[in-house]
Amino acid sequence: MTVSGLTGSPSRCCVRIAVSSSSLLSGRVSNFPQALKPVGKMEVLRLGRSNSQRKSYLIKCAMDASYGDMADQPSAIFPRINVRDPYKRLGISREASEDEIQSARNFLIRQYAGHKPSVDAIESAHDKIIMQKFYERRNPKIDIKKKVREVNQSRVVQAVRSRFQTPSTKFILKTSIAFIVLGVLTVLYPTEEGPTLQVALSLLATVYFIYDRLKTKLRAFLYGAGSFIFSWLLGTFLMVSVIPPILKGPRSFEVTTSLITYLLLWVSSTYLK
């Protein structure tokens, strides 16, 4: 028996077709007496049907038609299934909106729907991103770098910074050594009246260093006196309201205030323009 008129690739489906033996059928028909009437078409079909119950053949057929291939195809595997970063796994940026996140998830799910581990990896990345976005809305994070940049660009800070300049490294070392020595003397040898002598020496050092840079006596005296008053008042305020007692002793308040004053005077005498 020949099957023709079908084209395609081999398929899984098969059809069991009952085939009667042509020799047996012809033998049965030829044995009828000549005197009898010819056997009708229905009798031949019944005879063929009874023979088909005894013998049949399994025929593999080519049934892949134009509506699609029915053969097994291996499911596509998500290539970023093992990527730990959920944003990189979905292929989106960290600034992506919720619509973009949902669109990326739906697209990947449709593309890799036949592979369950890939679908699970895509769903897991999507859930992590959604939970992170929800947490960021509930607990907004402060961008420190952005805040510092905004402060540095403000007019007040720009005006203050314009009053300072960076001197040579040799000059910075000279002023640093002078005020460190004053600080050590204040801590090691505090008097009953407080570090009065060391504070007076810090004022003279400030005026001297400012004059050494600017070469004008009037500006050196004005800058030095103004820096000393401002530094002492600020140091006292910090000790009273902000900074807890650090040193122990009867003159710990005056000593700590003097150290803060030395630090501010060092900045003024070194960098003030």
Side-chain angles (χ1 to χ4, degrees):
M1 177 177 182
T2 304
V3 179
S4 62
L6 294 175
T7 59
S9 59
S11 175
R12 286 188 306 167
C13 76
C14 60
V15 178
R16 188 177 298 272
I17 301 177
V19 180
S20 61
S21 175
S22 60
S23 61
L24 181 60
L25 182 59
S26 61
R28 292 284 183 89
V29 174
S30 62
N31 288 334
F32 284 108
Q34 298 293 331
L36 296 177
K37 294 181 179 180
V39 180
K41 186 182 294 185
M42 294 301 297
E43 294 293 336
V44 175
L45 292 176
R46 281 198 294 270
L47 184 60
R49 190 177 303 161
S50 63
N51 283 294
S52 68
Q53 295 176 357
R54 300 172 187 172
K55 186 182 292 185
S56 62
Y57 296 95
L58 183 64
I59 302 175
K60 293 183 179 179
C61 59
M63 297 294 295
D64 291 332
S66 60
Y67 54 80
D69 189 2
M70 297 175 61
D72 283 338
Q73 295 292 338
S75 301
I77 300 177
F78 186 39
R80 298 187 297 274
I81 190 172
N82 294 322
V83 176
R84 299 186 62 180
D85 190 342
Y87 290 92
K88 293 182 180 179
R89 189 184 301 176
L90 293 187
I92 58 178
S93 65
R94 295 186 177 274
E95 291 76 21
S97 63
E98 293 186 3
D99 293 338
E100 293 173 342
I101 296 170
Q102 192 67 27
S103 299
R105 177 258 180 198
N106 294 339
F107 172 78
L108 295 174
I109 288 293
R110 288 194 300 267
Q111 189 172 3
Y112 302 98
H115 190 252
K116 189 176 184 303
S118 298
V119 174
D120 293 341
I122 296 169
E123 291 285 8
S124 176
H126 173 264
D127 294 342
K128 288 181 180 178
I129 294 174
I130 293 300
M131 291 300 296
Q132 183 177 352
K133 293 288 186 182
F134 176 75
Y135 178 79
E136 289 176 355
R137 286 197 299 267
R138 293 287 301 274
N139 304 280
K141 183 170 57 176
I142 300 175
D143 191 350
I144 298 178
K145 293 183 179 180
K146 183 179 179 180
K147 293 295 182 181
V148 172
R149 185 167 57 252
E150 291 177 355
V151 171
N152 291 332
Q153 293 176 353
S154 62
R155 293 183 178 181
V156 176
V157 174
Q158 291 292 336
V160 172
R161 292 179 62 180
S162 64
R163 303 303 305 168
F164 291 86
Q165 65 180 2
T166 303
S168 62
T169 305
K170 182 178 179 181
F171 187 82
I172 294 175
L173 290 175
K174 183 169 64 174
T175 57
S176 300
I177 292 173
F179 283 100
I180 288 174
V181 171
L182 288 175
V184 171
L185 293 176
T186 302
V187 174
L188 295 180
Y189 303 103
T191 60
E192 294 182 359
E193 294 80 10
T196 307
L197 178 61
Q198 292 89 330
V199 172
L201 291 176
S202 68
L203 173 60
L204 295 177
T206 302
V207 174
Y208 169 76
F209 288 132
I210 293 176
Y211 173 76
D212 190 19
R213 287 191 301 108
L214 302 181
K215 303 301 182 181
T216 58
K217 294 181 180 180
L218 180 61
R219 292 180 64 183
F221 176 77
L222 294 176
Y223 282 2
S227 300
F228 178 78
I229 296 172
F230 173 79
S231 300
W232 186 262
L233 293 177
L234 181 59
T236 304
F237 169 76
L238 293 176
M239 285 301 302
V240 172
S241 304
V242 180
I243 302 176
I246 300 175
L247 301 175
K248 296 182 179 180
R251 296 297 177 183
S252 61
F253 179 83
E254 290 83 353
V255 171
T256 308
T257 304
S258 299
L259 295 178
I260 297 174
T261 303
Y262 298 159
L263 177 63
L264 297 176
L265 289 176
W266 170 77
V267 174
S268 300
S269 60
T270 307
Y271 296 99
L272 190 62
K273 182 167 64 175

